Amino acid sequence: MRIQQLENFIVLAEELHFGKAAERLHMQQPPLSRQIKALEDELGVLLFKRNNRKVELTEEGVFFLQEAKAVTTRLTVAQHTLKAMGNGEAGTLRIGFVDSSITERFVTAMGRFKEQYPNVIIELEEKVSVEQLAAIEEGSLHIGFIRTHLVETHELPHIDVISEPYIVALAKDHPLAGQETVSVYDLAKEPLIFFPHRKNPGIYNWVLNGFSQYGLVPKFGFEVVMDQAAEMFVAGGFGYTLLPSTSCRMGRRGLTYKRVKEPFLNLRISMAWSQAHECPLVKNFIEVFTQQADS
């Protein structure tokens, strides 16, 4: 059974006249009659009642007409979808991210991509940078937003997205709050409200290394999982916390944000992907993201 047979059957079922159906199909009547007869023989039923005056659908023909239309419709949809997928206009785009990458630029780029490619499904997965790199290399992630100050991208192509210093969040009545910048030597004497090592060993050790370059060890205070919780404890006067600059733009009541006087911790986020698994979906997203950055 061929699709052309189904399409010819549907036209004849709509016209109920071999001559008109053949004219609509731009073919001669005898070949159309042979195709319908061959279809009936293959199905083992009569689809039409024929006499000299008229052509009518049998009960089997009425049922088969519904099924034939459903099949041809699904095939048409599949053809359009496959073409769209080949152009990167449909399909599923899997993107990994770290919490620090969720900035206004990130959200705006996602919105613009969805506007331009509404039939693409975006699956966002929060993963630490090392897990993202492995997933990109194996092909389970298309794109990753990773902390390149913690891991190397190796041979993966990437675009730098964020480069900014970590800053200090202090209560407004903290003794260090009146200074324009805060020295790392003063910070080492104060309780650092930070998340536990088990949450993200990479960042935790990165902070330790930031202090150790000055021969210092931070004095850890309360351990919290969320940045918002850390800021609440800071506002309560229990110490300070360290945050990316972009995380502090909204600010929190009762807090002030200060830069560190010495070269200290610098956040770097890059968008990485794999050339081995590059596809039109990835190319389209990169184009939209870079255009949004340049606008």
Side-chain angles (χ1 to χ4, degrees):
M1 188 181 302
R2 303 187 308 276
I3 294 298
Q4 186 63 51
Q5 285 179 293
L6 295 181
E7 292 174 343
N8 290 351
F9 162 73
I10 291 171
V11 172
L12 180 57
E14 291 173 346
E15 296 292 343
L16 293 176
H17 190 284
F18 275 92
K20 291 180 179 179
E23 183 179 354
R24 181 172 156 189
L25 291 165
H26 306 288
M27 63 188 301
Q28 296 298 314
Q29 185 174 329
L32 175 60
S33 298
R34 289 194 294 270
Q35 283 193 22
I36 297 300
K37 180 64 168 62
L39 181 61
E40 290 177 323
D41 290 344
E42 184 176 351
L43 294 171
V45 296
L46 287 176
L47 299 173
F48 295 95
K49 297 175 185 177
R50 307 167 177 84
N51 57 45
N52 294 330
R53 291 179 298 173
K54 60 181 179 179
V55 176
E56 292 180 323
L57 282 168
T58 63
E59 184 177 348
E60 294 85 352
V62 172
F63 169 79
F64 191 65
L65 176 61
Q66 295 175 337
E67 298 301 311
K69 285 184 174 180
V71 169
T72 55
T73 298
R74 285 197 296 270
L75 179 62
T76 300
V77 170
Q79 289 173 329
H80 288 312
T81 301
L82 287 172
K83 183 178 179 180
M85 290 177 70
N87 295 331
E89 298 172 357
T92 300
L93 182 64
R94 295 180 295 277
I95 299 177
F97 68 95
V98 293
D99 54 1
S100 300
S101 64
I102 307 300
T103 61
E104 182 179 351
R105 175 184 178 184
F106 181 93
V107 174
T108 301
M110 293 293 170
R112 290 191 178 180
F113 183 80
K114 284 296 291 182
E115 286 178 3
Q116 293 185 36
Y117 302 99
N119 294 322
V120 174
I121 298 170
I122 300 177
E123 292 183 355
L124 296 173
E125 301 181 37
E126 184 172 4
K127 294 178 178 287
V128 297
S129 298
V130 173
E131 292 177 349
Q132 286 191 59
L133 287 174
I136 291 170
E137 289 173 345
E138 72 180 17
S140 59
L141 274 184
H142 290 108
I143 292 171
F145 287 81
I146 62 176
R147 292 185 174 97
T148 43
H149 59 280
L150 299 181
V151 297
E152 295 290 335
T153 58
H154 303 299
E155 300 300 320
L156 293 179
H158 62 278
I159 297 172
D160 293 334
V161 175
I162 299 173
S163 180
E164 63 182 28
Y166 261 57
I167 63 176
V168 182
L170 295 162
K172 286 187 176 180
D173 58 356
H174 192 282
L176 298 177
Q179 301 180 16
E180 185 174 346
T181 58
V182 181
S183 172
V184 66
Y185 293 96
D186 290 329
L187 290 177
K189 302 172 187 177
E190 301 291 329
L192 170 58
I193 314 299
F194 212 58
F195 54 74
H197 180 272
R198 67 179 181 275
K199 181 191 174 186
N200 193 322
I203 294 184
Y204 191 95
N205 293 332
W206 177 61
V207 171
L208 288 179
N209 291 336
F211 281 96
S212 68
Q213 66 181 316
Y214 297 101
L216 301 170
V217 176
K219 178 182 174 182
F220 286 101
F222 285 104
E223 290 188 337
V224 295
V225 176
M226 304 295 292
D227 288 343
Q228 294 90 335
E231 289 181 289
M232 290 181 68
F233 275 97
V234 170
F238 294 100
Y240 71 97
T241 193
L242 297 167
L243 299 167
S245 299
T246 51
S247 300
C248 309
R249 287 177 182 167
M250 295 299 292
R252 177 180 286 274
R253 174 181 284 183
L255 295 187
T256 185
Y257 301 93
K258 303 292 181 178
R259 290 184 175 270
V260 179
K261 183 183 299 183
E262 299 82 6
F264 190 42
L265 303 174
N266 198 67
L267 170 70
R268 295 196 310 277
I269 302 287
S270 297
M271 179 175 66
W273 64 95
S274 169
Q275 285 184 326
H277 302 291
E278 191 169 293
C279 61
L281 271 176
V282 173
K283 292 179 180 178
N284 289 345
F285 183 82
I286 293 171
E287 181 180 2
V288 170
F289 193 91
T290 52
Q291 286 177 349
Q292 188 271 326
D294 295 336
S295 62

